[in-house]
Amino acid sequence: MATAWRVPIASLALAALGVMTSARAAPVDPRPDPNACTLLSATDLEPLLFSGSGGALDGHDFYPAPGLSTCRWYAKPSDHAADAVPRTATLAFYHIADAGRAQAQLDRQAHHDARPSLAITGRADDAIVRPSPTIVAARHGADVAVIDATGAELDNPDQLEVRYLLDALALKAAGAAVKQPPWAAPGQMGKLVPLAPTGSIAGWTPPPHAVLAGAGILDPFIHALKTLADWRFGLMAVGPPAALALFFVPWHRRPRRAAYGGLADAERDSTRSRWPAWIGGALLAGLVLIMLFGEEIATALIDRYGETGAATVTGSFATSTQYNHRDVVGYRVLIGTVDSRVVPGQFRTDDFNVRGLGDTSIYPGEADVFTVRYLAHHPQDFIIRNDDESPWARKLACARLAAWRNEAALSVRAVPGNTGFRTDLRHAIAAAQNAGCSR
């Protein structure tokens, strides 16, 4: 066995032996030990071992002890070279007669990641423990399953999709019914985080936000303004020349005739219309206003008239843009809407769509969960709130308090006798404690 999974599996195995010995010394559990290789299908394992490329999968089962069965799968993806090392995943299934003792074994394992499970089942007592980023132990009733994906060549084991997939595989192997994510094909083990309550993602449910009656009527206008603001730099490249052209294009109108049949005296000197110049002036002024204030107005309107939902970052991508001599980064997100949909979207670090407390230039990163306000009919238009109790906002607030505390501590260290510095440090420590921020 690989070292990465030997410790949790071995410790559970020894405990399972003791539990099974005492359990079978009393009433004998009539259930047979299952073949671990039958607990997960090739369809279940494909997102983990093949990543959509397909390939050959072979499982080998073995039974180290009564009440414990294991299986190791070897996968050869189609896109791998002939001499490449196969990807592997290992499952250990513990057949225990007592649910309390099964939970006790999970409680003894290391808790590398205490975040709530992303895989939703039909039972509230199903439990998940993650001893490491690539090992997940799940309990369903009295049965425990440990899935080890150390050999799956995961690029980022802490990525949201990977966390969900490992949770779902462990729960399913333990016998739980994992609910089907609404965007996954029937029968497929979805890789994305499932929607929990309405407007929630990954266990975070934002507080309700009062939306004005009839606010949806404004959606098309706010969406149009947001689109123009997003394209403001391109519009400034082509808009001003077009507006200036309207001042010089010889637009003419048919002259009015006086009652005696000739031209009106006021129009004998010029028959040129003033309307094109007025249109050009209005267009030029509109472009300047959109360039200067369009983004700020659009985000304020979305914040005021938008619906509230939870969102999380699932990935990032590079752009060819720079702002203030820094590369602009784009992020892909999933948004949980109030009508129980999961909507993909994206934002960039030059969108200026963070609102709330200061630090509006700080954006959430991969796997962060946060609150958004979005247009009901155009959910891809959204702003990010950084001033509530969402996991990301709390992390940001704790980072601010930690910076205050560290600066105060350094000031005290530099000038130990300064009472003002020592008072500031006490206030910083108290504020961090009151906010529930750990050291």
Side-chain angles (χ1 to χ4, degrees):
M1 290 186 181
T3 304
W5 55 271
R6 181 179 297 167
V7 173
I9 290 183
S11 61
L12 275 173
L14 293 174
L17 282 174
V19 170
M20 290 304 300
T21 301
S22 60
R24 295 188 182 188
V28 177
D29 185 357
R31 299 173 299 168
D33 294 340
N35 183 333
C37 292
T38 64
L39 299 178
L40 295 175
S41 67
T43 301
D44 297 332
L45 294 164
E46 182 175 356
L48 179 66
L49 296 175
F50 296 130
S51 301
S53 61
L57 181 66
D58 188 16
H60 299 274
D61 64 286
F62 49 98
Y63 302 85
L68 170 63
S69 60
T70 59
C71 181
R72 170 166 282 194
W73 288 274
Y74 297 85
K76 195 66 174 291
S78 300
D79 57 355
H80 267 206
D83 58 348
V85 177
R87 296 174 180 174
T88 62
T90 304
L91 170 68
F93 179 85
Y94 301 89
H95 197 30
I96 304 173
D98 186 284
R101 293 177 180 177
Q103 181 61 40
Q105 305 313 315
L106 260 65
D107 294 338
R108 294 189 178 98
Q109 303 307 305
H111 289 60
H112 169 81
D113 184 351
R115 286 174 288 186
S117 175
L118 305 178
I120 307 302
T121 67
R123 286 178 50 165
D125 62 337
D126 289 334
I128 282 285
V129 170
R130 304 182 188 93
S132 83
T134 56
I135 298 176
V136 174
R139 181 187 65 80
H140 176 72
D143 294 329
V144 175
V146 181
I147 185 76
D148 171 30
T150 304
E153 299 182 10
L154 302 175
D155 295 331
N156 182 7
D158 195 51
Q159 191 173 5
L160 196 67
E161 293 90 339
V162 177
R163 285 177 48 222
Y164 164 71
L165 182 59
L166 293 179
D167 285 2
L169 290 175
L171 283 166
K172 183 173 182 181
V178 181
K179 291 187 177 181
Q180 186 72 28
W183 55 88
Q188 299 291 323
M189 182 71 75
K191 290 183 64 177
L192 300 178
V193 53
L195 186 66
T198 300
S200 302
I201 283 257
W204 166 241
T205 304
H209 167 64
V211 180
L212 295 178
I217 300 176
L218 299 176
D219 276 14
F221 304 101
I222 301 176
H223 173 65
L225 176 60
K226 181 67 167 61
T227 302
L228 292 174
D230 289 343
W231 289 92
R232 58 191 180 277
F233 295 107
L235 290 175
M236 288 301 294
V238 300
L244 293 174
L246 293 175
F247 285 94
F248 303 103
V249 173
W251 294 71
H252 293 275
R253 65 184 177 187
R254 180 178 297 176
R256 292 187 297 107
R257 295 197 175 269
Y260 56 84
L263 290 176
D265 292 340
E267 294 181 341
R268 285 176 180 166
D269 295 335
S270 174
T271 60
R272 180 172 176 170
S273 172
R274 296 184 181 88
W275 283 105
W278 293 344
I279 294 174
L283 178 60
L284 192 59
L287 289 172
V288 173
L289 289 175
I290 289 174
M291 183 67 187
L292 296 177
F293 308 109
E295 192 71 36
E296 183 176 352
I297 295 174
T299 55
L301 291 174
I302 294 173
D303 186 32
R304 180 67 183 89
Y305 297 103
E307 303 277 4
T308 301
T312 187
V313 175
T314 59
S316 61
F317 57 92
T319 70
S320 58
T321 306
Q322 281 196 338
Y323 185 82
N324 287 341
H325 306 291
R326 293 185 179 181
D327 293 334
V328 174
V329 180
Y331 293 93
R332 288 180 287 272
V333 302
L334 291 178
I335 301 172
T337 66
V338 295
D339 54 352
S340 299
R341 291 182 295 150
V342 175
V343 179
Q346 64 181 36
F347 67 87
R348 295 162 37 126
T349 52
D350 61 348
D351 282 345
F352 308 107
N353 62 339
V354 178
R355 295 183 67 84
L357 301 176
D359 300 334
T360 55
S361 62
I362 300 177
Y363 289 83
E366 292 187 11
D368 282 331
V369 179
F370 49 94
T371 300
V372 296
R373 299 261 172 82
Y374 62 91
L375 296 180
H377 299 98
H378 302 279
Q380 286 79 11
D381 296 339
F382 62 90
I383 62 97
I384 300 168
R385 298 296 310 188
N386 69 1
D387 58 349
D388 62 355
E389 293 297 312
S390 70
W392 173 69
R394 281 194 54 78
K395 182 174 75 173
L396 194 62
C398 289
R400 297 190 199 102
L401 293 174
W404 177 21
R405 184 190 62 219
N406 292 339
E407 183 176 351
L410 291 175
S411 299
V412 170
R413 184 181 303 174
V415 189
N418 189 300
T419 57
F421 290 160
R422 300 182 73 85
T423 301
D424 192 39
L425 177 59
R426 287 197 299 269
H427 289 166
I429 294 174
Q433 291 175 344
N434 292 336
C437 299
S438 59
R439 296 185 62 88

